[in-house]
Amino acid sequence: MKGLLVFGVLLAAAFSQKLFVGDQVLRITASNEEQIALLRELGELEDLQIDYWLSPAQPGLPVDVRVPFHSLQAVKVFLESNTIPYTITVDDLQELLDEEKEAMMMSRKFERSSNSFSFSSYHTIEEIYSWMDNLVAENPDLVSKIQIGHSYEKRPLYVLKFSTGGVNRPAIWIDTGIHSREWITQATGLWTANKIATEYGKDASLTAILDTVDIFFEIVTNPDGFAYTHSTNRMWRKTRSINAGSSCRGVDPNRNWDAGFGGPGSSSNPCAETYHGPHPHSESEVKSIVDFVLSHGNMKALLSIHSYSQMLLFPYGYKTELAPDHQELNDLASEAVAALAALHGTKYTYGSTIDTIYRADGTTIDWSYDNGIRYSYTFELRDTGRYGFLLPAGQIISTAEETWLALMKIMEHVRDNPY
């Protein structure tokens, strides 16, 4: 382990990567609203530089926070003096990062020597884009690649289109990786895109879906952020746009949509992880999807895949009133999580965003639902906090396999319930 740590430090130095040596992740349990308020105040103390992985939402729900080594004593004293219980879930974040990096390097060596692509590993944006080109080349009658725009740093925004023909058919939109540090989502996206391409014509249900419905799939929805997680800061969540008047960069692309934009379930502070941006759709990564979806005009489902928490969420996040289709969305979510759990026993909770976790303003699925896309869902993939955003690569395949069963339930329902 010591050799691994030295290797990791040397590697980080070579690539000017942000180190997290001694940083811990704490699991906090707030028992009342007063303690929730205290935790929110703690998060606003910028000198501490803490990073909520699961934000303080409501009493009884877990709160996960990454605490830099230099702030550990202050944070623990604060929690203990306010009798807020906590446990340490990650003792040294850098150790997990070093293990993740080494696994990627070993996998890359294997892929090169065997001239293959491993779905059980994490990949860079260059590797993903290259793989997408190969998928299109190998399946020209089913898969094509569309560019819907550019990121802030001028990276192409690529979408895979799965279609068996026809014009402007009903369609399903799927995106992964809108929050760049949620690596399990892009990895699940790769496996899923491959599954769609290879199972068409073999799996009767999927074939029936694709015979009537197109699928649009954006695997790297936040390419600048994703590239930055590889080059510089593994824990980066937001876009990489420059914020006027602030040294803090980036906007939370899942608070930037025109659905309750700027409400209390987001932040007006450019340094916050949930900063909503200067105006709705200010981020080209968001605006490109908005323009594409609206111009398409026949999108019937929008599935946005995040991590972590093991949840399946549907509108609303920005208001407490039930969505007009609440009962149907709830029943379908129940079926989907039951199908998912049947494979590996992974338990998901489900419900509207605001009732299941917290108020969230300006989110993807609230925008899509408000724009007539009935089947709008957010997935929160594995796990429930043991590894958080650093899910070991050994869990990629099992995560993708179980998620596929839930996706199929939803896609079958879309196929069988035209509107």
Coordinates of all heavy atoms in Angstrom, one line a residue, residues 1 14-15 19 40 78 101 109 112 127 130 159 188 206 208 222 244 259 280-281 291 299 301 381 394-395:
M1 N 0.8 -1.2 0.0 CA 0.0 0.0 0.0 C 0.9 1.3 0.0 O 0.6 2.2 -0.7 CB -0.9 0.0 1.2 CG -1.9 1.2 1.3 SD -2.9 1.4 -0.2 CE -4.1 0.1 0.1
A14 N 3.0 14.6 -11.5 CA 3.3 14.7 -13.0 C 2.1 15.3 -13.7 O 2.4 16.0 -14.7 CB 3.5 13.3 -13.5
F15 N 0.9 15.1 -13.3 CA -0.2 15.6 -14.0 C -0.9 16.8 -13.3 O -2.0 17.2 -13.6 CB -1.2 14.5 -14.3 CG -0.8 13.5 -15.2 CD1 -0.2 12.3 -14.7 CD2 -0.8 13.7 -16.6 CE1 0.2 11.3 -15.6 CE2 -0.3 12.7 -17.5 CZ 0.2 11.5 -17.0
L19 N -4.6 16.7 -4.9 CA -4.5 15.5 -4.0 C -5.5 15.6 -2.8 O -5.9 16.7 -2.4 CB -3.1 15.4 -3.4 CG -2.0 15.1 -4.4 CD1 -0.6 15.2 -3.8 CD2 -2.2 13.6 -4.9
R40 N -26.2 23.0 7.2 CA -26.3 23.9 6.1 C -25.3 25.1 6.3 O -24.6 25.5 5.4 CB -27.7 24.4 5.8 CG -28.5 23.3 5.2 CD -29.9 23.8 4.8 NE -30.7 22.7 4.1 CZ -32.0 22.5 4.4 NH1 -32.7 23.2 5.2 NH2 -32.6 21.5 3.8
F78 N -17.2 20.7 15.9 CA -18.5 21.3 15.6 C -19.6 20.3 15.8 O -20.7 20.5 16.4 CB -18.5 21.9 14.2 CG -19.9 22.5 13.8 CD1 -20.2 23.8 14.1 CD2 -20.8 21.7 13.1 CE1 -21.4 24.3 13.7 CE2 -22.0 22.2 12.7 CZ -22.3 23.5 13.0
K101 N -7.0 4.8 -9.9 CA -6.0 5.1 -10.9 C -5.2 3.9 -11.3 O -5.0 3.7 -12.5 CB -5.1 6.2 -10.4 CG -4.0 6.7 -11.4 CD -4.6 7.4 -12.6 CE -4.9 8.9 -12.2 NZ -5.4 9.6 -13.4
K109 N -3.5 -1.2 -20.0 CA -2.4 -2.1 -20.5 C -3.0 -3.3 -21.1 O -2.6 -3.8 -22.2 CB -1.5 -2.4 -19.3 CG -0.1 -3.0 -19.8 CD 0.7 -3.3 -18.5 CE 1.3 -2.1 -17.9 NZ 2.2 -2.4 -16.8
R112 N -4.8 -2.6 -24.5 CA -3.8 -2.4 -25.6 C -3.2 -3.7 -26.1 O -3.1 -4.0 -27.3 CB -2.7 -1.5 -25.2 CG -3.1 0.0 -25.2 CD -2.0 0.9 -24.8 NE -2.5 2.3 -24.7 CZ -2.0 3.2 -23.8 NH1 -1.1 2.9 -23.0 NH2 -2.5 4.4 -23.8
E127 N -11.0 8.0 -24.9 CA -11.3 6.5 -25.1 C -12.8 6.3 -25.4 O -13.1 5.5 -26.2 CB -10.9 5.7 -23.8 CG -9.4 5.7 -23.7 CD -8.9 5.2 -22.3 OE1 -9.8 5.2 -21.3 OE2 -7.8 4.9 -22.1
S130 N -13.6 7.5 -29.0 CA -13.1 6.5 -29.9 C -14.0 5.3 -30.0 O -14.3 4.8 -31.1 CB -11.6 6.2 -29.5 OG -11.2 5.1 -30.3
V159 N -24.1 12.7 -29.4 CA -25.2 11.9 -29.1 C -25.3 10.7 -30.0 O -25.2 10.8 -31.2 CB -26.6 12.7 -29.2 CG1 -27.8 11.8 -28.9 CG2 -26.6 13.8 -28.2
T188 N -21.8 3.1 -17.0 CA -23.0 2.4 -17.3 C -23.6 2.8 -18.6 O -24.1 1.9 -19.4 CB -24.0 2.7 -16.2 OG1 -23.5 2.2 -14.9 CG2 -25.4 2.2 -16.4
L206 N -36.6 -5.7 -26.8 CA -35.8 -4.5 -27.2 C -36.0 -4.3 -28.7 O -36.1 -3.1 -29.2 CB -34.3 -4.7 -27.0 CG -33.4 -3.6 -27.5 CD1 -33.6 -2.3 -26.8 CD2 -31.9 -4.1 -27.4
A208 N -38.6 -5.0 -30.5 CA -40.0 -4.4 -30.6 C -39.9 -2.9 -30.3 O -40.6 -2.1 -30.9 CB -41.0 -5.1 -29.8
N222 N -21.3 16.2 -19.9 CA -20.5 17.4 -19.4 C -19.1 17.1 -19.7 O -18.3 16.8 -18.8 CB -20.8 17.5 -17.9 CG -20.0 18.6 -17.2 OD1 -19.3 19.3 -17.8 ND2 -20.1 18.7 -15.9
A244 N -18.5 35.4 -14.2 CA -18.1 36.8 -14.1 C -18.1 37.3 -12.7 O -19.0 37.0 -11.9 CB -19.1 37.7 -14.9
A259 N -37.0 25.5 -15.0 CA -38.1 24.8 -14.3 C -37.9 25.1 -12.8 O -37.1 24.5 -12.2 CB -38.1 23.3 -14.6
P280 N -31.3 30.8 -16.9 CA -31.6 29.4 -17.4 C -30.9 29.2 -18.7 O -30.8 30.0 -19.6 CB -33.2 29.5 -17.6 CG -33.6 30.6 -16.7 CD -32.5 31.6 -16.7
H281 N -30.4 27.9 -18.8 CA -29.8 27.5 -20.0 C -28.6 28.3 -20.4 O -28.2 28.4 -21.6 CB -30.8 27.4 -21.2 CG -32.1 26.7 -20.9 ND1 -33.3 26.9 -21.6 CD2 -32.4 25.8 -19.9 CE1 -34.2 26.2 -21.0 NE2 -33.7 25.5 -20.0
D291 N -32.4 22.7 -27.1 CA -32.7 23.0 -28.5 C -32.9 21.7 -29.2 O -33.8 21.7 -30.1 CB -31.5 23.8 -29.1 CG -31.4 25.2 -28.5 OD1 -32.3 25.6 -27.9 OD2 -30.3 25.8 -28.8
M299 N -40.2 13.7 -28.4 CA -39.6 12.9 -27.4 C -40.6 12.5 -26.3 O -41.4 13.3 -25.9 CB -38.5 13.8 -26.7 CG -37.3 13.1 -26.2 SD -36.2 12.4 -27.5 CE -35.4 13.8 -28.2
A301 N -39.9 10.2 -23.6 CA -39.3 9.9 -22.3 C -37.9 10.6 -22.2 O -37.2 10.7 -23.2 CB -39.1 8.4 -22.1
L381 N -27.7 5.9 -9.3 CA -27.1 4.6 -9.3 C -26.4 4.2 -7.9 O -26.5 5.0 -7.0 CB -26.2 4.4 -10.4 CG -26.7 4.7 -11.8 CD1 -25.6 4.4 -12.9 CD2 -28.0 3.9 -12.1
G394 N -15.0 -2.8 -10.2 CA -15.5 -4.1 -10.1 C -17.0 -4.2 -10.0 O -17.6 -5.2 -10.2
Q395 N -17.7 -3.0 -9.7 CA -19.1 -3.0 -9.6 C -19.8 -2.4 -10.9 O -21.0 -2.3 -10.9 CB -19.6 -2.2 -8.4 CG -19.2 -2.8 -7.1 CD -19.9 -2.1 -5.9 OE1 -21.1 -1.8 -6.0 NE2 -19.2 -1.9 -4.8

